[in-house]
Amino acid sequence: MNDRARSRTRVREAETIAGNSYELILKQREAFIERQATGPVVIASEDRKIQVNRQGTLRYYLAPLSYPETPLQDWLVFENHVRTHSGKHRHQGGLVIYVIEGEGYSMVDGERVDWKAGDLLLLPIRPGGVEHQHFNTRAGATCRWIAFCHLPMMDHLAMEMTQIEINPDFRG
Ligand SMILES: [Fe+2]
């Protein structure tokens, strides 16, 4: 084999190794460890713009699809500013909501549950998920809470999401 042929062979081997499943796994683990060592561990509120979407007026702190650089990729953590009321949707429970400011209530499968600043609201796990919508009881006053949702659990519960009513502040 001459030098040119030898170098062609080496290039081909390198390409094969790069696309090899085992090598991709090694790379993924390296990236994971690197993210834990160097990724941001404080998520500043000013770095996360508030988004008005079909369900609410939300500030996403952790959202793997939007922020792949954060060390934790298994959590969805977002703040909801409930101005009058949120949209209504149904998905599996198993998440917790901490009320930061104000007071309001949620309709959970047709039942009203009241809450205020300092309370923790949870959504139960039920076959087919839980229909829910959030309301501010004091018009004009700030009302906000933060939700913590562990995504692998949602996969294991085969969570679907169905939008039933739209956030009144949404201008799609
Ligand atoms: Fe929800």
Side-chain angles (χ1 to χ4, degrees):
M1 194 186 294
N2 62 26
D3 282 354
R4 231 173 119 201
R6 203 170 290 122
S7 125
R8 261 205 312 272
T9 307
R10 231 176 280 129
V11 167
R12 218 174 295 129
E13 278 170 5
E15 283 168 359
T16 309
I17 287 172
N20 174 295
S21 297
Y22 183 73
E23 296 300 326
L24 291 175
I25 293 166
L26 284 181
K27 274 207 164 52
Q28 185 205 29
R29 296 323 303 169
E30 269 173 32
F32 177 89
I33 298 298
E34 178 69 14
R35 213 164 56 236
Q36 308 314 308
T38 64
V41 294
V42 173
I43 311 299
S45 60
E46 58 270 24
D47 290 340
R48 297 291 199 252
K49 297 285 167 271
I50 291 177
Q51 307 174 5
V52 182
N53 62 33
R54 287 197 281 162
Q55 178 58 14
T57 301
L58 309 180
R59 187 199 305 275
Y60 287 91
Y61 285 89
L62 294 180
L65 295 176
S66 306
Y67 306 112
E69 75 285 3
T70 56
L72 303 188
Q73 290 290 298
D74 286 343
W75 289 89
L76 191 61
V77 175
F78 61 92
E79 183 183 36
N80 188 353
H81 292 243
V82 187
R83 288 196 341 110
T84 54
H85 61 83
S86 68
K88 184 198 283 188
H89 65 184
R90 181 173 56 246
H91 58 75
Q92 193 46 267
L95 56 94
V96 296
I97 293 173
Y98 178 74
V99 183
I100 301 169
E101 192 175 358
E103 59 187 67
Y105 65 95
S106 301
M107 294 301 295
V108 179
D109 279 342
E111 183 190 348
R112 174 173 169 154
V113 289
D114 288 82
W115 39 257
K116 61 182 183 324
D119 290 347
L120 188 74
L121 168 70
L122 60 87
L123 290 182
I125 299 167
R126 291 177 178 162
V130 178
E131 183 183 289
H132 53 280
Q133 186 170 25
H134 310 284
F135 296 81
N136 182 348
T137 43
R138 292 188 301 173
T142 303
C143 176
R144 60 196 179 101
W145 52 244
I146 188 163
F148 299 85
C149 178
H150 190 237
L151 294 169
M153 188 168 89
M154 296 306 158
D155 287 348
H156 297 158
L157 292 169
M159 182 177 85
E160 289 182 274
M161 286 187 81
T162 308
Q163 198 69 36
I164 298 164
E165 278 179 31
I166 304 290
N167 166 25
D169 294 327
F170 179 61
R171 304 276 174 266

